[in-house]
Amino acid sequence: MRKLILIPIGFLLSLILSSYHGGAAYWGNINCTGAEKNNIKGCSMNGAGCHTNTASALIQMRIDLLDANNKIVTEYIPKQKYTIRLSAYNKRQDTLPTFGFQLLCMQGDTASIGMVNAGIFDTMQLGTDLRYTAAKSGIYNANIIEQNDRILASTGNGLYGSKYQVDVLWTAPDSGFGKISFWAVVNASNNDGHNGAAGGEFWNTKHVSYSEGVGPAAAIDASLTQANSVIQIGNDQIKIALSGIQQLNLMSLDGKQLPISWEMKNPNAFLIQSKENIPLGVYLIEATNKAGKTSVAKVLLGL
């Protein structure tokens, strides 16, 4: 693969004579994910690029966020550790055995000039294929993960249906940070050293957003505002806006009821225990009093 992207015309000649297979941010000072309006999107620039002029929809991409149990999640919990999985698939008839990429995480989900980085990449466990290229003042704001050199297709040897995949460890930002988004570009290449479509280099971009979920402190603080009863869960006290509780239920966010046992500690305090190990996640504690009134609080539980 020759290079991921070109920069403005004044540098065109030097770019034609050079190679970005070691990462466009590191070698070319470019964020080509599309997250920053003052940086070009994708791997070409108005037909003057070293790759195809437009994105190829047949390089199909997805970005997934995996929790500690390797399960895909739809929101992030502040300060939790995750795996970002960037995947792309070759749906072209071209044989494209190598690829390059860029990946970043930013606050919000709209491209901007002054983007703010979100969370922290684990730069100590990237392996030899990947590199971390930090923001460069006055050039681009993003902290970027990209290839250290050409990466071989993960499956399929570059033939139709081949998969290109990288996993990156990432820690979510603090509580109150709000919505985040991951932006990426993937450039798949036949590795023959030629430029453009004739040389067999095809790219695409993608971004996905995630809302902030409820962390332990947020769950407890939110329920303290109008509370009468205390439920002890491990070392945490969750307060429910009811007294005289008659029934307690523990449920997943999709409504599945989980087996628990509970006992009265005093007229307004109960000890609750789950009868089985549950995966780390946000759950609902539902309390009902003798009058049939119900109060619900969110709590982060699990191993």
Side-chain angles (χ1 to χ4, degrees):
M1 181 172 62
R2 293 280 292 184
K3 46 188 178 292
L4 281 177
I5 196 167
L6 287 184
I7 56 177
I9 300 299
F11 295 94
L12 180 58
L13 181 59
S14 64
L15 290 174
I16 290 174
L17 298 175
S18 66
S19 172
Y20 288 168
H21 58 76
Y26 184 81
W27 291 104
N29 296 326
I30 305 168
N31 169 14
C32 51
T33 63
E36 297 187 72
K37 288 185 176 180
N38 55 339
N39 274 248
I40 53 182
K41 179 180 180 181
C43 300
S44 177
M45 180 179 175
N46 299 326
C50 62
H51 306 299
T52 51
N53 294 336
T54 58
S56 173
L58 296 180
I59 302 299
Q60 298 178 359
M61 296 175 58
R62 63 179 295 160
I63 303 172
D64 293 308
L65 192 61
L66 285 69
D67 64 13
N69 296 306
N70 216 36
K71 293 183 179 180
I72 295 175
V73 298
T74 57
E75 63 180 12
Y76 75 92
I77 303 300
K79 297 185 179 181
Q80 296 296 305
K81 295 182 182 297
Y82 294 92
T83 297
I84 310 167
R85 177 161 294 166
L86 171 62
S87 308
Y89 303 86
N90 179 16
K91 297 300 183 179
R92 303 185 62 89
Q93 297 302 320
D94 307 87
T95 300
L96 307 170
T98 64
F99 74 103
F101 76 100
Q102 288 184 320
L103 172 69
L104 63 85
C105 185
M106 62 175 281
Q107 187 174 39
D109 60 359
T110 304
S112 65
I113 293 177
M115 61 143 287
V116 176
N117 290 288
I120 301 173
F121 290 116
D122 184 341
T123 61
M124 302 303 293
Q125 301 187 57
L126 291 178
T128 57
D129 286 338
L130 310 184
R131 77 159 73 245
Y132 170 77
T133 305
K136 297 182 180 181
S137 179
I139 301 174
Y140 59 83
N141 294 332
N143 295 327
I144 295 173
I145 303 294
E146 55 187 353
Q147 81 276 7
N148 191 44
D149 203 342
R150 303 176 180 94
I151 305 176
L152 294 176
S154 305
T155 64
N157 298 316
L159 298 173
Y160 177 91
S162 292
K163 182 179 183 180
Y164 314 98
Q165 179 179 302
V166 292
D167 287 355
V168 180
L169 299 179
W170 172 83
T171 300
D174 292 344
S175 178
F177 195 82
K179 181 176 288 188
I180 63 165
S181 55
F182 296 97
W183 296 65
V185 58
V186 169
N187 183 43
S189 171
N190 70 358
N191 203 28
D192 69 354
H194 295 294
N195 295 337
E201 295 182 331
F202 302 93
W203 58 271
N204 204 358
T205 60
K206 188 177 184 65
H207 75 277
V208 295
S209 62
Y210 293 86
S211 296
E212 180 179 338
V214 179
I220 296 172
D221 291 345
S223 59
L224 283 174
T225 56
Q226 42 182 334
N228 297 313
S229 296
V230 177
I231 301 172
Q232 184 79 28
I233 304 175
N235 294 323
D236 294 326
Q237 288 188 340
I238 311 301
K239 292 192 174 183
I240 297 293
L242 288 175
S243 59
I245 294 175
Q246 182 74 15
Q247 180 63 42
L248 289 175
N249 294 315
L250 176 66
M251 299 178 296
S252 60
L253 293 181
D254 60 5
K256 178 183 177 182
Q257 189 165 323
L258 303 174
I260 60 172
S261 62
W262 58 278
E263 60 177 303
M264 183 180 298
K265 304 298 291 183
N266 63 54
N268 286 319
F270 299 82
L271 175 67
I272 183 172
Q273 293 180 311
S274 173
K275 293 183 178 180
E276 61 184 29
N277 291 331
I278 60 175
L280 179 66
V282 178
Y283 295 84
L284 300 177
I285 296 290
E286 180 187 77
T288 304
N289 67 8
K290 294 179 180 180
K293 293 184 178 180
T294 298
S295 179
V296 178
K298 285 185 178 180
V299 61
L300 181 69
L301 297 174
L303 301 176

